[in-house]
Amino acid sequence: MKKIKVAILGGTGAVGQKFVALLDNHPWFEISEITASSNSAGKTYESCTNWREITPIPERVRNIIIKNCDEKLNSQIVFSALDSSVAGDVEKLYAKNGHYIFSNSKNHRMSERSPILIPEINADHLQIIDPKNFIVTNANCTTTVLALAIYPIHQKYQITELIVTSMQAISGAGYPGPSANDIMNNVIPFIDGEEQKVETEIKKILGTVKNSTIVFDEICASAHCNRVPVFDGHTVTVSLKTKKKATIQEIENCYNDFSSITTNMGLPFAPKKLYNLFTANNRPQPKLDIFSDNTMAISIGRLRPCSILDYKLVALGHNTIRGAAGGSILNAEYCVKTKIISI
Ligand code: NAP
């Protein structure tokens, strides 16, 4: 198969660099264009990027000349890792010019004709998209972990209420993020806008399509979001109430029995096993489990009864991979494979 050329908007930032690292040697996609701010435009990628990934800058990307965000692009597929102050207009412009946008930014998540796509949960939401303004968004990184963590239970027993507490990694704040002085030996109990995003995005992600629009799920979520001194990996603890009741064993079976639409499609970024289920009562932990097995998977542990709501659990997911660049790449793979986009 001839590789499909792709562009990255905001390729010099934290999420942009993750795209560059993950797309190196991707079997279907090849990075051909990168944009960033006017400070970087006109320079080689290597000379204007403060590279923070542990692998070297891929050879074929080093000398790509950075474009401005209003320059013509030749790649049909465009991954966006732009700062939200500019992402809204820039993504809209490229979409209007016929590009397929896969965005990590918050700007279009609530647009009526853009889904917040997590293919394992809501691939059918793609039917609401406007083909002349093709913008597929990713959920916020914490919402992604939460949504995947609760979906097998919701699908079978219908969650009505939940309380989620996040312990979010520093890498989720972009680079350089909070200063060492602020975050070391500390917990910061506020992340601007995050709780509202979690509480509203989850309703859209779990919604159902009726008459070409997404009817939001009635789930009621209350979020506490915290920044903690962890480099990568967002951990969430969740207490939840369901409409139909189940035993803990039945709740556990939801994960063991879950079958994802993406598993046998041959998508390079689809995890072979979506859930790593832990029985040890001190797991999952970001330090031990974030890179184990597959960074596109979600780790689940401590399934137990809740004395106020019905059940509680701990979940862990990689924020810049599953919750950002890797999630977008999977979305694009799904759209290519199902021919929702024609390349
Ligand atoms: P970042 O490190 O600050 O990178 C921002 C990128 O946007 C850089 O490439 C920057 O280019 C570019 N940019 C900034 N101002 C611009 C302008 N006026 N015109 C054109 N380009 C401009 O941010 P990030 O953490 O990678 O986040 C990128 C997006 O992903 C944000 O919308 C964020 O909310 C979202 N997101 C982040 C995470 C995460 O875990 N970090 C997870 C999910 C979603 P220069 O290098 O030239 O300044």
Side-chain angles (χ1 to χ4, degrees):
M1 169 180 174
K2 194 165 174 258
K3 287 200 182 180
I4 300 164
K5 294 196 183 313
V6 301
I8 304 171
L9 309 180
T12 52
V15 175
Q17 291 183 31
K18 191 57 87 182
F19 271 116
V20 170
L22 293 177
L23 287 168
D24 187 32
N25 295 322
H26 190 284
W28 302 0
F29 302 141
E30 184 174 78
I31 301 168
S32 109
E33 293 158 300
I34 298 177
T35 77
S37 75
S38 52
N39 294 335
S40 308
K43 299 176 183 159
T44 63
Y45 185 74
E46 184 174 27
S47 69
C48 68
T49 303
N50 179 11
W51 185 253
R52 306 295 305 164
E53 291 293 312
I54 52 172
T55 50
I57 302 182
E59 203 51 52
R60 64 179 314 283
V61 173
R62 285 177 191 274
N63 294 319
I64 287 183
I65 303 293
I66 304 292
K67 293 188 172 182
N68 265 306
C69 279
D70 54 2
E71 282 183 54
K72 186 178 175 309
L73 294 176
N74 299 312
S75 315
Q76 278 178 284
I77 292 182
V78 173
F79 293 109
S80 173
L82 280 175
D83 189 82
S84 60
S85 60
V86 287
D89 289 343
V90 173
E91 291 171 359
K92 211 192 249 171
L93 181 74
Y94 284 120
K96 287 261 179 284
N97 287 333
H99 298 277
Y100 301 116
I101 312 296
F102 293 89
S103 169
N104 280 274
S105 199
K106 66 179 180 184
N107 308 64
H108 297 290
R109 285 186 193 139
M110 287 299 146
S111 304
E112 256 183 49
R113 303 291 304 271
S114 289
I116 305 178
L117 183 64
I118 301 180
E120 293 95 332
I121 299 178
N122 60 11
D124 61 319
H125 286 197
L126 280 164
Q127 55 189 292
I128 61 118
I129 208 158
D130 178 358
K132 293 202 183 75
N133 187 19
F134 190 101
I135 303 177
V136 166
T137 68
N138 264 7
N140 156 276
C141 40
T142 306
T143 319
T144 303
V145 178
L146 173 69
L148 284 163
I150 65 167
Y151 182 63
I153 305 176
H154 188 59
Q155 195 183 34
K156 207 154 179 194
Y157 297 107
Q158 203 185 335
I159 299 169
T160 53
E161 292 167 27
L162 69 83
I163 296 172
V164 56
T165 300
S166 72
M167 288 153 275
Q168 300 183 213
I170 308 165
S171 58
Y175 183 80
S179 77
N181 249 334
D182 288 337
I183 195 68
M184 292 313 293
N185 195 27
N186 204 10
V187 171
I188 300 173
F190 176 69
I191 302 173
D192 197 12
E194 197 82 352
E195 292 172 356
Q196 194 198 359
K197 284 184 211 162
V198 172
E199 291 171 5
T200 50
E201 289 177 18
I202 192 75
K203 288 173 175 280
K204 182 170 179 182
I205 293 165
L206 298 176
T208 42
V209 179
K210 282 198 186 115
N211 301 326
S212 304
T213 55
I214 297 170
V215 179
F216 284 24
D217 194 275
E218 285 178 1
I219 193 167
C220 181
S222 173
H224 304 260
C225 293
N226 305 286
R227 186 76 65 199
V228 298
V230 163
F231 187 61
D232 280 320
H234 286 359
T235 304
V236 295
T237 59
V238 191
S239 289
L240 51 92
K241 184 175 175 159
T242 53
K243 196 162 187 177
K244 297 180 232 162
K245 305 302 173 196
T247 63
I248 291 296
Q249 185 57 55
E250 286 169 327
I251 295 290
E252 193 176 316
N253 289 346
C254 295
Y255 295 98
N256 294 325
D257 300 345
F258 184 75
S259 112
S260 166
I261 189 173
T262 57
T263 307
N264 297 315
M265 290 178 68
L267 308 180
F269 268 62
K272 288 190 179 43
K273 199 163 150 259
L274 181 55
Y275 297 106
N276 300 324
L277 211 53
F278 287 90
T279 48
N281 63 13
N282 62 352
R283 305 287 279 274
Q285 298 177 20
K287 192 169 181 177
L288 300 179
D289 302 314
I290 197 66
F291 288 112
S292 67
D293 198 11
N294 184 328
T295 43
M296 287 294 284
I298 297 293
S299 295
I300 305 284
R302 304 215 60 217
L303 283 170
R304 61 208 192 281
C306 172
S307 48
I308 297 176
L309 301 179
D310 292 319
Y311 319 100
K312 48 188 177 178
L313 59 89
V314 181
L316 167 71
H318 198 299
N319 50 299
T320 57
I321 300 182
R322 180 76 235 205
S328 256
I329 295 170
L330 177 63
N331 288 348
E333 290 172 353
Y334 182 85
C335 290
V336 169
K337 184 78 177 191
T338 54
K339 298 193 168 31
I340 284 165
I341 56 182
S342 45
I343 302 289

